[in-house]
Amino acid sequence: MSPAATSYSDDHARERPRVLLVDDDEVTLMIVGAALRERGFDVHEAASGKAALAALSDGLPDVVVLDAVMPETDGFDTCRTLRTIPGCENVPVLMLTGLNDEVSITRAYEAGSTDFFVKSQQWTQQWSLLDGRLRYLLRASRTRQELERSKSKLARAQDLARMGSFDWRLKSGLMLSPEALRVFGLGQGDPLSLRALLRMVPREDRRVLVRMLRGAIEHGSVLTTDVPVTPSWYSGDHVVHIEAEPEFNEQGQMVGYTGVVQDVTDRRVAEDKIRHLANFDALTGLPNRRQLLWRAERALEMARRVGHQCALLLIDLDRFKIINDTLGHQSGDELLVEVARRLRGCVRHSDQVLEAVFEGHGMGVRSHRSLEAVGRLGGDEFVALLPEVIDERDAERVAQRMLEVMREPIVVASQECFVTVSVGVALYPRDGSNVADLMRNSDVAMYSAKAQGRNASALYGPQLAGRGREKLELETALHKAIERNELVLHYQPKIDVRSARMVGAEALMRWQRGGVLVPPADFIPLAEETGLITPLSEWALSEAARQARVWQQSFGFADSIAVNLPSRLFERSDLVDHIHQVVTAQGVPHRVIMLEITEDNLMKDLQNVIPALHRLNEIGVEIAIDDFGTGYSSLSYLTTLPISELKIDRSFVRDLGISPQSSAVVTAIIALARSLGLRVIAEGVETLRQMEVLHRLGVVTMQGYLFSKPVPPTDLELWLDQSVQSRSASWIGQATELEAAPDRLHAASHRS
Ligand code: C2E
Ligand code: CA
Ligand code: CA
């Protein structure tokens, strides 16, 4: 009898399930073998356990049919041995038994068989039964293999994402997946305990972490945090993101945590880079305007809470233009650097470490005094923020010191220069209740110092004021604007520069007041102050929905209209209902409305806004973060928010090709967006150059005057009617050239 030692590898056989049939009875082998072949199996026969095991070395079958009772090595022994052969652990084995008793069935399972089949007297007639059983085994085995494969795919994906999972049980301690071990720079064999892991966390952070862990365990709450990790054998600092959920037993007692860890160092580096570039002046290294305004906001918040006074000093160099013009820009820059250095020395906290402020989310931990700063507003203008002063004399003393430190000549281009400054001082709350007012009033005071002969400081006073009535009038008129239908929405298209097509539009509000079109900057802030923003925004939402329906009907418009909303609208529990109502009233899908929320606004009340974001996301309303890059978001939050789009702030676009930092910011934002799976759009694109640079950096969706200003709805129709493509703007050729899409170039450059 020839043992079935033929190879399984031929291609034809592969299409059919391969069966290794093992029986010592030649007749059975023949009959069963023929029956299975007839039913589409590729059968290989073995007349003994030994022969079967030998056959395995020629290739694995998909299933083994094994007679239980055989001389020498019986089916049970054969199966047991088979299971020890590498690769055979999971091959399905069907044990044929003539003994329909519990004992042999149990033995079959114990020996590692997958299933059994009873050889009855007429079993030779039960082919379809055997066939069905084998096919079932094969299906189950395939499913298992697929699961196995996707499991290893998941592990690989996790490894790529530098992510791994862990389990922590109150009873048995910590278990990390191999991928999770790698996140901590550990190998399989390394000793592991929660204690050992904690030791990798720097001491100060460890205390905070332990407190947080204790709190979470005590309350059985979800744990999400970023932890710095510095194991001694690692180079540099790593940041590991931890997310874990508690698990409970039937009695509702917490038994442990299950979660994931991810190495987010790269993301952190990108975030830090964005922050730094966006917040510091490249020339002097001082905080820039943005950073200063942010600090001032925080300082006012604190002062409001605690009840003390703050001061804002606006410092302007006298006659800097003359110096700049006579000595040249290079020397002008050197001079500014030196002025910056001296001014900085005039405030108590001369170290202006950004992180000190950012990371102290709990402002309570670090003193608000760390907000103290001298920053550069731009050109030759500087600002000093004094987060706490006793009275105006306190602030004036600092101003005097600034005048004094300028007495020493500054040497640039081997020339001694004498520089003086004029300083204007405004105090919170006396001279203004918000940063904008304080800035304006310190500016007024600074001009009065200049007017009085320069090289001096001046305090703001009501005698310098002149506004107030205007504002009241405006408020009254705005109240009436809604009733009188004086508000209109203009639309600015969002363009995909590769196809030169509109892919959506942003609604921007205007106020038709008498014969003039009032821009939003002149009434939105006031509306926000007075609460009128709510009816205004509600109007904008329903107007946008109505417009979408009109365009849908006439042009098959299927994109979305982005409506700008301040955070206070997101706080309202009825925002989602309201949107639902306005879109259903117009019979358009929810996704026609997209919402833009500015980064600052979002971060200001993140906790209140998050639930609304999730609900909006559920009904299909997408969210974009406006003015992105200017805020001070803890960017790691972005990972958890259901947002779709980041809108790169106009200021970065404006400086593209001018200041190298701006392209660095854009690059960093794009990298961040990619890693978070978000779309990116650039706003304020005015020149071909900007468009080109953006495109090269990887931005394809843009908005800006280059393509179109915000226009009344009827003017947008040219864009809506994309079959006409009646645009002949210079950028179109450019954009399509970049994409090398000659067909669209041709269509787009022929004006109708
Ligand atoms: P935003 O949301 O950042 O809107 C973009 C602003 O940039 C618009 O100014 C737009 O006209 C302008 N813009 C667009 N392209 C360019 C460009 O290429 N160059 C320049 N220099 N500017 C460009 P607009 O319409 O005056 O709106 C100003 C701000 O007012 C908006 O900033 C938004 O924050 C707010 N706003 C506008 N409409 C609404 C509204 O319906 N509700 C609320 N809450 N705020 C609105
Ligand atoms: Ca916007
Ligand atoms: Ca914007």
Side-chain angles (χ1 to χ4, degrees):
M1 131 114 279
S2 72
T6 37
S7 160
Y8 291 102
S9 61
D10 91 71
D11 272 354
H12 175 67
R14 282 200 148 268
E15 288 159 23
R16 304 186 296 150
R18 294 158 304 183
V19 180
L20 176 59
L21 178 62
V22 194
D23 203 309
D24 60 314
D25 179 42
E26 279 187 43
V27 179
T28 311
L29 270 187
M30 207 168 68
I31 299 173
V32 180
L36 288 180
R37 277 190 198 97
E38 202 171 278
R39 285 174 167 70
F41 290 93
D42 176 22
V43 182
H44 293 257
E45 295 157 10
S48 70
K50 274 215 182 71
L53 294 172
L56 289 173
S57 58
D58 294 324
L60 290 185
D62 294 314
V63 60
V64 179
V65 178
L66 187 58
D67 189 19
V69 186
M70 291 186 291
E72 291 174 39
T73 330
D74 67 8
F76 304 109
D77 285 339
T78 309
C79 188
R80 218 170 280 121
T81 315
L82 177 145
R83 287 293 182 230
T84 62
I85 298 173
C88 291
E89 300 88 343
N90 297 309
V91 173
V93 174
L94 182 71
M95 190 79 84
L96 296 179
T97 154
L99 328 156
N100 188 9
D101 63 297
E102 295 279 309
V103 180
S104 57
I105 294 171
T106 314
R107 270 187 78 199
Y109 281 125
E110 277 169 1
S113 91
T114 321
D115 202 351
F116 67 95
F117 192 83
V118 180
K119 271 188 192 179
S120 68
Q121 215 48 27
Q122 311 82 27
W123 85 286
T124 44
Q125 277 107 62
Q126 299 179 338
W127 302 132
S128 60
L129 217 62
L130 178 62
D131 179 23
R133 188 70 69 87
L134 284 178
R135 300 214 179 259
Y136 168 77
L137 279 181
L138 287 166
R139 239 190 346 268
S141 148
R142 216 168 299 130
T143 311
R144 203 196 47 74
Q145 277 172 14
E146 270 156 25
L147 274 174
E148 198 86 339
R149 253 199 302 277
S150 64
K151 204 170 110 201
S152 75
K153 254 195 220 148
L154 176 66
R156 244 197 338 268
Q158 287 191 343
D159 217 19
L160 276 177
R162 283 183 250 174
M163 180 189 258
S165 52
F166 69 90
D167 261 309
W168 176 74
R169 293 281 161 270
L170 274 174
K171 283 223 176 79
S172 48
L174 190 62
M175 284 265 301
L176 275 79
S177 72
E179 297 80 24
L181 284 169
R182 269 198 287 284
V183 167
F184 290 99
L186 297 170
Q188 293 271 29
D190 287 319
L192 178 77
S193 65
L194 188 56
R195 194 176 293 272
L197 283 185
L198 280 172
R199 238 176 278 131
M200 297 183 189
V201 178
R203 198 175 294 265
E204 327 75 81
D205 300 287
R206 196 186 310 159
R207 267 207 302 275
V208 178
L209 179 62
V210 168
R211 211 179 308 136
M212 187 188 276
L213 291 177
R214 284 225 176 89
I217 293 169
E218 203 172 299
H219 300 109
S221 52
V222 172
L223 187 73
T224 333
T225 184
D226 285 358
V227 183
V229 172
T230 30
S232 49
W233 56 90
Y234 247 30
S235 61
D237 290 348
H238 282 245
V239 182
V240 174
H241 179 72
I242 303 177
E243 239 177 274
E245 288 196 0
E247 296 207 339
F248 301 90
N249 62 12
E250 293 85 35
Q251 286 82 47
Q253 287 154 332
M254 210 264 293
V255 290
Y257 274 80
T258 300
V260 291
V261 289
Q262 184 180 18
D263 185 339
V264 293
T265 313
D266 291 348
R267 196 177 80 211
R268 266 304 178 87
V269 169
E271 289 177 12
D272 289 348
K273 203 159 119 198
I274 295 176
R275 282 179 185 160
H276 195 87
L277 291 167
N279 290 293
F280 286 89
D281 171 44
L283 177 66
T284 62
L286 292 183
N288 63 13
R289 171 187 290 268
R290 187 175 289 156
Q291 163 71 182
L292 251 154
L293 294 182
W294 182 84
R295 285 181 183 235
E297 294 281 0
R298 299 292 90 73
L300 288 202
E301 263 166 35
M302 205 57 178
R304 228 168 263 142
R305 218 173 320 143
V306 182
H308 57 237
Q309 303 191 64
C310 306
L312 205 65
L313 279 60
L314 190 75
I315 306 131
D316 192 274
L317 267 59
D318 298 325
R319 301 190 189 88
F320 176 68
K321 194 175 170 334
I322 302 174
I323 298 173
N324 220 14
D325 289 349
T326 43
L327 296 179
H329 281 281
Q330 174 76 33
S331 306
D333 282 357
E334 279 173 37
L335 187 127
L336 286 173
V337 172
E338 176 57 16
V339 169
R341 198 188 61 76
R342 293 186 187 186
L343 290 178
R344 185 190 216 159
C346 296
V347 298
R348 276 163 295 210
H349 289 261
S350 45
D351 66 327
Q352 307 190 330
V353 185
L354 180 65
E355 297 307 317
V357 182
F358 276 139
E359 302 311 334
H361 288 302
M363 277 281 307
V365 183
R366 288 174 221 257
S367 146
H368 60 281
R369 288 188 167 279
S370 63
L371 291 167
E372 184 163 283
V374 172
R376 180 170 175 225
L377 283 189
D380 60 342
E381 265 191 341
F382 296 84
V383 163
L385 170 69
L386 309 178
E388 183 177 354
V389 292
I390 296 154
D391 52 23
E392 58 187 45
R393 284 195 306 272
D394 217 8
E396 275 192 303
R397 260 195 295 277
V398 176
Q400 281 309 316
R401 220 179 301 150
M402 291 178 163
L403 300 179
E404 276 161 32
V405 296
M406 292 300 158
R407 296 237 166 88
E408 280 281 301
I410 296 176
V411 183
V412 284
S414 42
Q415 284 207 35
E416 284 197 342
C417 294
F418 288 89
V419 184
T420 61
V421 293
S422 295
V423 185
V425 182
L427 257 55
Y428 169 87
R430 194 189 72 186
D431 303 329
S433 61
N434 57 48
V435 177
D437 287 353
L438 289 173
M439 288 288 279
R440 196 183 47 243
N441 291 340
S442 60
D443 193 56
V444 172
M446 190 270 289
Y447 270 98
S448 86
K450 291 223 184 220
Q452 283 157 34
R454 299 190 169 88
N455 193 14
S457 75
L459 277 171
Y460 178 78
Q463 79 286 354
L464 299 172
R467 286 174 49 107
R469 251 218 344 265
E470 240 178 73
K471 203 165 140 183
L472 260 174
E473 278 171 17
L474 183 71
E475 197 186 327
T476 323
L478 188 56
H479 259 290
K480 296 191 178 137
I482 306 177
E483 307 164 16
R484 292 184 184 163
N485 256 339
E486 291 177 350
L487 295 172
V488 288
L489 290 182
H490 281 192
Y491 296 88
Q492 188 177 34
K494 299 183 187 173
I495 310 293
D496 182 335
V497 296
R498 295 169 303 182
S499 58
R501 282 182 179 233
M502 181 172 102
V503 292
E506 177 176 7
L508 294 155
M509 205 183 286
R510 307 284 181 260
W511 177 9
Q512 191 83 52
R513 192 183 183 195
V516 277
L517 206 57
V518 186
D522 290 353
F523 64 93
I524 297 274
L526 182 73
E528 292 202 19
E529 236 176 270
T530 57
L532 274 175
I533 191 67
T534 305
L536 237 65
S537 304
E538 287 176 354
W539 172 82
L541 284 168
S542 49
E543 173 58 15
R546 191 195 63 77
Q547 191 64 66
R549 184 194 28 91
V550 172
W551 285 341
Q552 193 184 57
Q553 285 167 353
S554 342
F555 298 96
F557 178 77
D559 300 315
S560 61
I561 298 183
V563 177
N564 292 282
L565 286 190
S567 62
R568 73 150 76 178
L569 262 290
F570 284 88
E571 281 171 49
R572 293 171 50 125
S573 53
D574 57 1
L575 174 66
V576 182
D577 290 339
H578 182 78
I579 292 181
H580 176 71
Q581 274 162 24
V582 300
V583 299
T584 38
Q586 297 296 339
V588 287
H590 290 94
R591 53 161 178 77
V592 302
I593 297 291
M594 175 163 180
L595 301 177
E596 292 193 9
I597 179 169
T598 63
E599 192 190 355
D600 270 343
N601 255 306
L602 172 68
M603 297 320 292
K604 214 164 59 197
D605 15 73
L606 193 60
Q607 291 315 322
N608 292 323
V609 168
I610 287 178
L613 294 186
H614 281 284
R615 279 201 312 263
L616 287 165
N617 190 52
E618 275 158 25
I619 66 167
V621 175
E622 295 200 308
I623 315 284
I625 302 201
D626 209 351
D627 304 348
F628 188 77
T630 61
Y632 303 93
S633 349
S634 155
L635 297 177
S636 49
Y637 265 117
L638 288 180
T639 52
T640 61
L641 296 181
I643 46 181
S644 312
E645 209 174 61
L646 298 183
K647 216 167 182 186
I648 303 174
D649 186 59
R650 208 162 65 217
S651 59
F652 300 120
V653 174
R654 187 189 53 219
D655 298 344
L656 275 183
I658 302 170
S659 91
Q661 338 176 16
S662 58
S663 71
V665 173
V666 174
T667 309
I669 290 176
I670 293 167
L672 184 70
R674 283 227 175 98
S675 80
L676 298 175
L678 303 176
R679 299 193 301 266
V680 175
I681 174 168
E683 60 173 356
V685 180
E686 294 186 357
T687 66
L688 275 175
R689 172 100 190 100
Q690 289 164 345
M691 183 190 82
E692 254 171 52
V693 176
L694 283 165
H695 189 269
R696 203 168 339 109
L697 295 177
V699 182
V700 296
T701 317
M702 306 184 195
Q703 214 185 335
Y705 292 173
L706 175 64
F707 315 99
S708 165
K709 291 202 166 179
V711 291
T714 45
D715 291 8
L716 204 76
E717 290 174 2
L718 286 174
W719 285 101
L720 286 159
D721 192 358
Q722 308 207 314
S723 60
V724 176
Q725 276 296 342
S726 48
R727 299 272 139 185
S728 64
S730 52
W731 63 268
I732 287 182
Q734 204 82 13
T736 37
E737 230 166 73
L738 286 169
E739 273 312 310
D743 48 337
R744 299 221 40 83
L745 174 74
H746 185 76
S749 57
H750 284 80
R751 202 198 162 89
S752 65

